[in-house]
Amino acid sequence: MKYARLTKEQFEEMHQEFINFLATQSITAEEWEQIKKDKPEAAEEELDIFSDLIWEGVLNKVEYLEHFSPQQIFLFRITTATIELIAIKVENEAIDITTREGYQWLQTNLMDDAVNIYTSTKAISEDRNKDIFALIKQGANITQGELYQYFQKVVQD
């Protein structure tokens, strides 16, 4: 398995897609029930293959990721060749930017000495999607990139 198995809830949400996936392999609903009962390891393998296909489809479309922690925000822009990072670090442990108050403080005090903004770029490895998945496993969320674009303007000015 290349990524991670979908959760039970995710499988339930993708019920129709999974049925279509089984159909592409000429597996009927009755045959699927039989496979689950008689060959649980084969059923597990089908679930893993389906999960990887779904992850591949999702990861292929990812352009932006965000990761928030109490004192840091990591904003990623993924291109075909690079992962660009804008990191915002608050050097005041009394401020927790994962809270509404802390985030509002950051918005108001962006130019404060306690706020540091860093940028970095690194080359994508041979497996772009695996790079993205590693960031997701570390807690990053897929986004539309509004925050990245906002901070990109801040950094450029």
Side-chain angles (χ1 to χ4, degrees), residues 31-94:
E31 288 171 323
W32 176 242
E33 290 305 317
Q34 201 65 42
I35 291 169
K36 286 196 301 187
K37 197 171 78 179
D38 298 340
K39 299 179 188 165
E41 65 288 339
E44 297 285 319
E45 194 174 310
E46 291 297 331
L47 295 172
D48 289 348
I49 292 168
F50 178 74
S51 294
D52 277 348
L53 281 171
I54 295 301
W55 273 113
E56 256 330 296
V58 168
L59 296 171
N60 283 336
K61 297 175 187 165
V62 171
E63 291 183 52
Y64 296 96
L65 296 169
E66 294 176 0
H67 185 270
F68 279 75
S69 65
Q71 269 75 47
Q72 298 182 99
I73 303 173
F74 294 102
L75 306 170
F76 301 95
R77 178 173 172 246
I78 293 96
T79 68
T80 52
T82 61
I83 297 177
E84 299 168 3
L85 167 69
I86 298 174
I88 300 96
K89 184 170 174 59
V90 176
E91 303 285 350
N92 179 345
E93 292 195 16

Side-chain angles (χ1 to χ4, degrees), residues 14-28:
M14 307 210 73
H15 181 73
Q16 189 57 52
E17 289 86 348
F18 187 64
I19 290 170
N20 296 344
F21 166 75
L22 292 174
T24 63
Q25 299 178 64
S26 304
I27 299 173
T28 65

